[in-house]
Amino acid sequence: MSGAPKPLLAVRGLKKHFPVRGGLLKKVVGWVYAVDGVSFTLEEGDTLGLVGESGCGKSTLGRTLMRLYEPTEGAIEFQGRDIARASAAELMPARREMAMIFQDPYASLNPRMTVSDIVTAPMSAHGVGTPAERREKASEILQVVGLRAQAASRYPHEFSGGQRQRIGIARALILNPKLVIADEPVSALDVSIRAQVVNLMMRLKERFKLTYVFIAHDLSIVEYISSHVAVMYLGRVMEKAAAKTLYASPKHPYTQALISANPVPDPARRAQKQVLKGEIPSPMHPPSGCVFHTRCPLAEERCRAEAPALRDVDKTGTDEHLVACHLVKD
């Protein structure tokens, strides 16, 4: 009897700490706890939205999943294999199945390279195809993302921000990956262009059977594109659930405040907003106990002394609803 199929991505206890150096000898004088014990699973075909305030560690988490940053601790199991400690040679097969879309469409494209060379760079790195085959593939994928084939011979400065992000998406898809990590792919774009790019990503997901980790701070976009959502605060996951469940019934006080702050056209709902007081603490000196207790209006003595475990509070048995809060009952 065969067991249940493994998730495409399983992250367990993942940490990424950056050293802080000071003095004449540049000794390590402290650590930035950017990602501090994150665990989650992602099934093939799903879209996991990662949300949270700036500085919560969501972009660092995305880059660590791609091994652009070396993990400090923990496991990253991709297709059943832990790649957290894999060597560069061992990582190459997984790299063909993983891709990343970066936040800044201006900084992420080399201005000295033609669009064709930019888009086919992953093919060149993995030795896929002849030069003629790569050019043909570039023309095909550019048309798929909504650009003309003639764009292949042009340079990035000749395109708008939205068009540049389409080039970045084409580069991410050129090797037909299974997992795409999108690091705030629309935050640098004009509001009028964002919906176009998000809708394009949804169409591409269906066409190429993609699995997304979609990082953003815009909760309305995350709700629209995601099947599941994880809410991060100070390097940790505070809550994770199916998108419909989380938006309809948020359990964690931080999630409730984020959703409450989301702009809505209803004046009655605007009057019910919960305003978060204070600033997010320094990731160099995270608070003891629950890291959110310094800003939580419901915090008790236990919250200050004991870090809550991320546990399932779903009572229906249909889908897990994970919450890291002492005050939420099972």
Side-chain angles (χ1 to χ4, degrees):
M1 183 177 178
S2 60
K6 291 184 178 181
L8 181 69
L9 181 67
V11 178
R12 296 185 178 88
L14 187 63
K15 297 182 180 182
K16 177 56 187 176
H17 301 164
F18 295 98
V20 178
R21 301 180 184 277
L24 292 175
L25 300 179
K26 300 297 181 182
K27 291 184 177 181
V28 175
V29 295
W31 296 88
V32 174
Y33 301 95
V35 176
D36 200 26
V38 168
S39 300
F40 66 85
T41 59
L42 180 60
E43 303 295 331
E44 192 165 351
D46 281 355
T47 297
L48 175 66
L50 282 178
V51 297
E53 294 172 285
S54 296
C56 71
K58 54 189 185 296
S59 291
T60 300
L61 175 58
R63 290 170 179 260
T64 306
L65 294 176
M66 284 291 297
R67 284 284 305 274
L68 299 180
Y69 294 150
E70 289 299 314
T72 303
E73 189 179 307
I76 307 169
E77 292 186 7
F78 178 65
Q79 298 188 112
R81 183 179 179 186
D82 189 0
I83 63 170
R85 296 288 177 268
S87 65
E90 293 169 337
L91 197 59
M92 285 297 281
R95 279 272 168 82
R96 286 193 59 170
E97 304 283 352
M98 305 170 71
M100 191 161 190
I101 302 169
F102 295 93
Q103 176 179 358
D104 190 344
Y106 294 89
S108 63
L109 305 180
N110 190 329
R112 296 181 179 86
M113 295 173 66
T114 65
V115 169
S116 178
D117 288 338
I118 290 170
V119 170
T120 60
M123 296 181 72
S124 301
H126 289 275
V128 176
T130 64
E133 290 170 338
R134 293 171 191 166
R135 287 192 296 270
E136 182 179 356
K137 181 69 173 176
S139 297
E140 290 175 2
I141 199 69
L142 286 171
Q143 293 178 78
V144 168
V145 300
L147 297 173
R148 295 182 178 181
Q150 294 91 323
S153 60
R154 297 164 63 185
Y155 288 85
H157 73 270
E158 301 178 62
F159 297 89
S160 67
Q163 290 172 325
R164 292 188 192 200
Q165 196 59 294
R166 290 173 187 263
I167 295 169
I169 293 171
R171 175 177 60 187
L173 299 183
I174 196 74
L175 288 176
N176 299 315
K178 290 186 177 180
L179 174 66
V180 175
I181 298 173
D183 183 12
E184 304 212 33
V186 297
S187 64
L189 305 179
D190 291 341
V191 174
S192 59
I193 305 298
R194 291 181 185 178
Q196 296 178 20
V197 174
V198 170
N199 286 329
L200 169 65
M201 291 183 65
M202 293 185 73
R203 292 195 301 271
L204 294 172
K205 178 181 184 296
E206 296 301 319
R207 177 167 179 169
F208 295 103
K209 309 299 180 187
L210 300 171
T211 303
Y212 285 145
V213 174
F214 190 92
I215 301 167
H217 60 263
D218 188 326
L219 274 75
S220 58
I221 290 178
V222 171
E223 181 181 15
Y224 179 63
I225 196 173
S226 303
S227 54
H228 289 77
V229 177
V231 179
M232 288 189 66
Y233 184 81
L234 215 61
R236 305 182 189 185
V237 173
M238 298 285 101
E239 186 167 1
K240 177 181 179 288
K244 291 182 179 179
T245 301
L246 186 133
Y247 280 83
S249 181
K251 302 294 185 186
H252 198 284
Y254 179 59
T255 310
Q256 292 170 356
L258 286 182
I259 294 177
S260 171
N262 206 33
V264 291
D266 185 350
R269 289 181 61 190
R270 284 204 298 267
Q272 299 172 1
K273 282 187 176 182
Q274 300 178 34
V275 179
L276 279 176
K277 297 181 180 179
E279 299 293 329
I280 186 169
S282 168
M284 279 188 67
H285 305 287
S288 60
C290 174
V291 291
F292 184 60
H293 85 256
T294 57
R295 301 173 71 193
C296 181
L298 306 175
E300 299 176 350
E301 189 58 38
R302 183 185 179 189
C303 305
R304 300 178 181 91
E306 180 185 342
L310 191 66
R311 69 190 197 284
D312 190 0
V313 298
D314 175 58
K315 293 180 175 64
T316 65
T318 55
D319 199 355
E320 67 179 12
H321 190 154
L322 305 176
V323 183
C325 180
H326 295 306
L327 307 179
V328 178
K329 305 302 180 183
D330 291 336

